[in-house]
Amino acid sequence: MSGNESGRIISIFDTTLRDGEQSPGCSMNSQEKITVARHLEKLGVDTIEAGFPASSPGDQESVRAIAGIIKNCAVAGLCRSREKDIDAAWEALSRAASPRLHVFLATSPIHMEYKLKMTADQVAEQAAAAVKYAKRFCSDVEFSAEDASRSDPDFLCRVFGAVIQAGALTVNIPDTVGYAMPGEFGDLVKYVREHTPQGEKAKFSVHVHDDLGLAVANSLAAVNAGADQLECTINGIGERAGNASLEEIVMALRVRKDFLRCDTRVDSAQLYPASRLITLVTGVKVQPNKAVVGENAFAHESGIHQHGVLAKRETYEIMTPESVGIPKNRMVLGKHSGRHAFEERLKDLGFLVNPETLEQVFAEFKALADKKKTVSDRDIEALVMDSTPIVPETWKLDHWAVNTGSALGSSGVIRLQHKDGRYEKLISLGDGPIDAIFKAINQIVGREPELELYEIGAVSGGSASQGETMVKIALDGRRWNGRGVSTDVVASSIKAYLSAINAMEWDLERGGD
Ligand code: KIV
Ligand code: ZN
């Protein structure tokens, strides 16, 4: 679809790696960010906001790495309206195939008076000067008026006019605190589009937060008012209550194309794999009733609904699970399933694995199928994620044993192999088997991170179900996630803890932050 009678194409600016990463518990290391960026490229977003380079050397490094890899969409870096920020962002972005400098400055009275301690004239001047400076390096510059929804609309038009004059190609209207109402926000977008001097030279964008649960509604109201670009995140992660959820925006535009007369370039079949990837990387799960990608989004519980769906799917389903990448279980996979069926299922699930990994995952699938009658998609997904560590393994599990009971305390023994080939073995006592074994690992590794989160759940039903463990560890104010899966809960806990330890070692070794 192009800008003709069948509707407009709305650009999707994904900020999962910047605003999303700012949400509590969602921090990612640079290897994880690269994995996510590759998936976003496959998903078909127009721009990936890879980070805020001036905020930390780690952010700068990951933006640089992503800029060097991504070829099929623009890569943006956020900067305050300061030369030093713009220099840092450009240093990280200059290798990108399509770099974008994203400059911002607040325009609301409350931000200007209390946060910036600047007058409106100073803000207008600094915004234009920052865009002018950014244009020296990069032709694609976006300007965001932070807290735009609480700014004076005429002042917004004035600032946007000044930054467009300075060369901004996109002007962004953020509802930074998630305060706007859909009708009101649509009116603001329309007013600003119509009254910004030389507004026809720029694209209008919105960036909406979800404090009142209205981020997607406000984004769609903005589309109706003529917005060209929507900023959003996978699973809606982001500051406080989060950002507008990418998957909800994309499916609302696609399913209601008849009404909204717009679409995006996103491959909707990659939405569910993208959502799962973010959950697996951050350890932050989506609620079961989450639209589009939640566990229950396509589950029909009541008899009346089940009957209706069986008679005609559309009675209670406005989109198919397959259209968002949730594979239909056409075939049950079990111990008699062959490599071909398994490989096909992997493709359906959005995984492209190399032959070596396929070999390994297939062997693990067979072992699991021996224990369980049927192997679910969730089980397969867990096996793949487990076999493809995102960071190189400093420590590999060799073997372990625990001893526990109600009368005596618990003890654990573990043997790990370091990447240099040496083996280390340790026995430790603890308050329960997990505590004992984690203490033994800490002693081998020579660090004592704090265990901030330890969560265990079942990947799928049945007593032979795989246990999925999520852990979060912290050391000196920095955090790492780990995840492990096994039919044995102690083994899944060890795998999860070791993957977090390996993420920590990888970061600390490289001195990034
Ligand atoms: O919410 C916001 O205003 C932002 C800007 C920096 C775009 O994230
Ligand atoms: Zn934001």
Side-chain angles (χ1 to χ4, degrees):
M1 203 160 72
S2 63
N4 56 30
E5 74 294 333
S6 53
R8 294 181 295 139
I9 289 291
I10 303 297
S11 296
I12 295 295
F13 177 107
D14 179 276
T15 182
T16 306
L17 296 174
R18 199 277 298 169
D19 216 329
E21 210 235 354
Q22 283 172 225
S23 75
C26 286
S27 58
M28 303 172 221
N29 64 37
S30 67
Q31 239 0 70
E32 291 166 335
K33 286 184 183 175
I34 289 169
T35 306
V36 171
R38 286 192 202 278
H39 197 97
L40 291 171
E41 185 180 37
K42 188 159 139 201
L43 184 63
V45 305
D46 298 276
T47 306
I48 296 172
E49 184 162 54
F52 183 176
S55 68
S56 74
D59 238 44
Q60 179 145 18
E61 182 207 306
S62 45
V63 175
R64 195 185 301 123
I66 290 167
I69 290 169
I70 299 299
K71 298 286 168 257
N72 298 322
C73 55
V75 178
L78 185 69
C79 15
R80 286 166 294 189
S81 290
R82 299 178 182 175
E83 292 190 359
K84 153 180 149 320
D85 274 35
I86 296 168
D87 291 341
W90 183 246
E91 193 283 320
L93 284 172
S94 54
R95 282 197 306 150
S98 314
R100 176 180 294 190
L101 284 170
H102 180 191
V103 179
F104 77 98
L105 190 61
T107 50
S108 64
I110 186 168
H111 276 237
M112 291 192 291
E113 182 178 349
Y114 294 100
K115 189 183 81 175
L116 299 175
K117 301 189 189 332
M118 285 168 76
T119 63
D121 286 346
Q122 287 169 330
V123 164
E125 203 176 297
Q126 186 166 323
V131 169
K132 196 166 169 209
Y133 184 71
K135 284 293 276 193
R136 285 205 212 167
F137 308 106
C138 185
S139 59
D140 188 0
V141 175
E142 169 170 338
F143 175 80
S144 283
E146 192 188 9
D147 207 16
S149 57
R150 292 192 299 170
S151 303
D152 170 43
D154 289 316
F155 180 57
L156 262 188
C157 296
R158 175 179 159 203
V159 173
F160 282 166
V163 297
I164 291 170
Q165 174 71 26
L169 299 185
T170 305
V171 286
N172 184 32
I173 307 174
D175 181 21
T176 302
V177 290
Y179 178 74
M181 293 288 124
E184 175 191 37
F185 195 57
D187 288 347
L188 175 69
V189 172
K190 187 168 186 294
Y191 183 86
V192 173
R193 277 188 68 229
E194 285 170 359
H195 293 86
T196 292
Q198 303 186 79
E200 66 292 346
K201 287 192 179 163
K203 287 204 180 317
F204 282 79
S205 166
V206 297
H207 171 114
V208 190
H209 281 267
D210 206 30
D211 298 65
L212 293 172
L214 293 169
V216 172
N218 280 333
S219 303
L220 298 177
V223 165
N224 258 339
D228 309 286
Q229 172 181 284
L230 299 178
E231 303 197 354
C232 44
T233 61
I234 303 290
N235 293 346
I237 62 171
E239 279 281 2
R240 306 179 311 280
N243 289 58
S245 137
L246 182 147
E247 54 281 2
E248 293 176 25
I249 283 177
V250 166
M251 290 317 287
L253 290 173
R254 194 141 302 161
V255 172
R256 295 310 313 276
K257 204 153 47 178
D258 61 318
F259 180 75
L260 294 162
R261 308 215 50 80
C262 293
D263 203 350
T264 68
R265 290 185 194 88
V266 168
D267 174 4
S268 65
Q270 294 299 331
L271 290 172
Y272 180 72
S275 163
R276 287 295 298 157
L277 178 65
I278 294 301
T279 297
L280 296 171
V281 162
T282 61
V284 177
K285 295 185 176 148
V286 298
Q287 84 257 25
N289 58 323
K290 164 93 170 62
V292 182
V293 292
E295 205 54 50
N296 296 343
F298 295 91
H300 303 279
E301 180 74 22
S302 95
I304 295 174
H305 287 211
Q306 287 175 352
H307 175 78
V309 169
L310 287 173
K312 182 139 179 85
R313 190 188 56 76
E314 289 84 354
T315 49
Y316 288 101
E317 266 185 21
I318 58 167
M319 55 193 157
T320 61
E322 302 88 76
S323 69
V324 301
I326 301 176
K328 197 157 128 200
N329 270 328
R330 289 166 299 261
M331 261 186 300
V332 175
L333 293 186
K335 66 178 181 181
H336 300 299
S337 304
R339 186 187 308 266
H340 183 67
F342 180 72
E343 212 178 332
E344 281 305 304
R345 184 60 56 86
L346 283 189
K347 278 192 206 141
D348 283 354
L349 287 166
F351 293 114
L352 280 178
V353 295
N354 60 36
E356 222 172 275
T357 310
L358 175 67
E359 219 38 58
Q360 186 191 338
V361 185
F362 185 64
E364 284 167 8
F365 157 74
K366 282 287 188 184
L368 181 64
D370 264 341
K371 292 187 198 158
K372 291 184 77 184
K373 255 200 178 128
T374 57
V375 178
S376 70
D377 288 339
R378 274 300 181 85
D379 288 321
I380 295 172
E381 190 186 86
L383 290 178
V384 180
M385 292 304 293
D386 232 34
S387 318
T388 44
I390 284 175
V391 296
E393 293 173 298
T394 305
W395 294 100
K396 258 198 178 100
L397 177 63
D398 183 40
H399 68 245
W400 61 272
V402 291
N403 211 329
T404 190
S406 55
L408 298 165
S410 301
S411 62
V413 55
I414 192 153
R415 196 164 101 125
L416 303 180
Q417 187 183 18
H418 190 262
K419 63 179 180 197
D420 68 11
R422 75 179 194 274
Y423 286 89
E424 302 260 358
K425 183 173 174 178
L426 232 138
I427 301 174
S428 180
L429 299 176
D431 187 6
I434 304 294
D435 184 51
I437 216 101
F438 285 6
K439 278 186 176 143
I441 294 176
N442 286 352
Q443 284 178 55
I444 291 179
V445 169
R447 301 190 206 271
E448 258 188 71
E450 197 183 319
L451 184 62
E452 284 199 339
L453 175 107
Y454 172 75
E455 220 176 70
I456 191 150
V459 172
S460 54
S463 59
S465 166
Q466 300 199 91
E468 178 179 47
T469 307
M470 301 273 200
V471 302
K472 199 172 287 276
I473 58 173
L475 190 72
D476 301 331
R478 295 168 58 191
R479 290 175 173 75
W480 298 271
N481 299 319
R483 182 181 159 279
V485 172
S486 169
T487 46
D488 183 305
V489 291
V490 180
S492 76
S493 304
I494 294 172
K495 284 183 177 179
Y497 196 66
L498 265 186
S499 72
I501 291 279
N502 282 328
M504 173 180 80
E505 289 297 331
W506 195 74
D507 265 0
L508 296 180
E509 233 172 67
R510 292 158 55 259
D513 66 355

